Amino acid sequence: MNALPEKQKSWLICLFLALATAAVFWPGLNGEFVNYDDPSYVTSNYNIQHGFTAESVHWAFTTGHASNWHPLTWLSHTLDYSLYKANPWGHHLTSLLLHAANAILLFLLLRRMTGAMWRSAVVAALFALHPLRVESVTWISERKDVLSTLFFMLTLYTYTGYAQGQKKKINYTFSLVFFALGLMAKPMLVTLPFVLLLLDVWPLERTKASSEGKKEGEAITCYIC
């Protein structure tokens, strides 16, 4: 493994994370809909069962059904019902695929921020396989959790690129777009800007760089004076 190029190692780790996630959560595909929230979200929700129409899309963006405003979550359920109808395995499969993608994104994000490949892989594996993830992946009504996490990870990934000076305008724009999409998947992502502030301290160390730049500017000013 040590003889492999870094890029190939990353691909193998991503493949491992995807396969491990699939192996652990695959039995969940045999699960049924449950009576807690699933009727409101899928089985008795005629708005998502009509497929993609002007009315269903308008409903998704304007409703406060189930005490939430999350149009992207409603649209994802609409897509699943269009593909799988009332067969729960398909709905479970979508959640599993989203969770696997989230685990891979977490690995890529941590590696991008810290440069530590194996530690990033371990943290991503713990996230992927932790028992606390079971509810989010195997309960169809928790689609909002795995879907919002996808945009959460994408926001952090593009923001990291911006903070590291890589295609700053593009990454900054995408970070705003992904943040907005995340809010439309689960309003809880309103806390994400505070996470970015913490990342600016560590591991991105933007506050340190800003402080050092300020000191250098003051030193140059004093020298000129």
Side-chain angles (χ1 to χ4, degrees):
M1 179 69 78
N2 290 330
L4 291 174
E6 294 293 301
K7 190 173 183 179
Q8 289 188 18
K9 290 179 184 178
S10 292
W11 277 108
L12 288 174
I13 290 172
C14 291
L15 179 61
F16 168 78
L17 289 170
L19 293 176
T21 303
V24 169
F25 288 97
W26 196 262
L29 270 61
N30 297 320
E32 299 292 332
F33 291 106
V34 296
N35 290 329
Y36 191 74
D37 281 355
D38 281 356
S40 294
Y41 277 81
V42 181
T43 56
S44 297
N45 190 328
Y46 300 107
N47 294 287
I48 69 109
Q49 293 175 6
H50 288 159
F52 287 100
T53 64
E55 291 77 11
S56 65
V57 173
H58 179 267
W59 176 85
F61 277 90
T62 57
T63 187
H65 184 67
S67 302
N68 279 298
W69 183 82
H70 42 36
L72 283 190
T73 297
W74 292 126
L75 293 178
S76 76
H77 285 302
T78 302
L79 177 61
D80 273 6
Y81 202 89
S82 298
L83 294 173
Y84 311 114
K85 302 303 180 185
N87 297 315
W89 70 267
H91 301 258
H92 286 303
L93 178 62
T94 299
S95 294
L96 190 159
L97 293 175
L98 285 170
H99 182 55
N102 292 338
I104 293 171
L105 278 171
L106 178 59
F107 163 67
L108 296 175
L109 169 66
L110 292 174
R111 189 190 172 203
R112 187 175 199 178
M113 288 194 297
T114 67
M117 177 178 293
W118 297 112
R119 280 176 288 176
S120 299
V122 170
V123 172
L126 288 173
F127 168 80
L129 307 178
H130 199 282
L132 285 176
R133 295 294 90 209
V134 173
E135 180 182 293
S136 298
V137 180
T138 60
W139 183 17
I140 292 170
S141 293
E142 275 297 279
R143 170 65 54 74
K144 55 184 176 288
D145 192 16
V146 289
L147 184 60
S148 65
T149 300
L150 176 70
F151 293 114
F152 178 89
M153 296 295 182
L154 288 171
T155 302
L156 295 185
Y157 190 82
T158 50
Y159 180 81
T160 299
Y162 158 76
Q164 294 175 340
Q166 303 169 8
K167 299 180 180 178
K168 296 188 69 171
K169 290 184 178 180
I170 294 175
N171 277 313
Y172 188 74
T173 301
F174 272 107
S175 67
L176 290 176
V177 171
F178 289 136
F179 176 46
L181 293 173
L183 289 172
M184 289 190 282
K186 188 176 183 180
M188 188 276 298
L189 259 69
V190 71
T191 59
L192 195 154
F194 296 99
V195 176
L196 299 181
L197 289 174
L198 292 174
L199 293 179
D200 279 345
V201 177
W202 187 89
L204 299 177
E205 297 184 340
R206 294 186 71 210
T207 54
K208 180 179 178 181
S210 177
S211 177
E212 291 176 351
K214 184 178 179 181
K215 289 180 180 179
E216 289 178 3
E218 290 174 349
I220 293 172
T221 302
C222 292
Y223 178 77
I224 294 174
C225 294

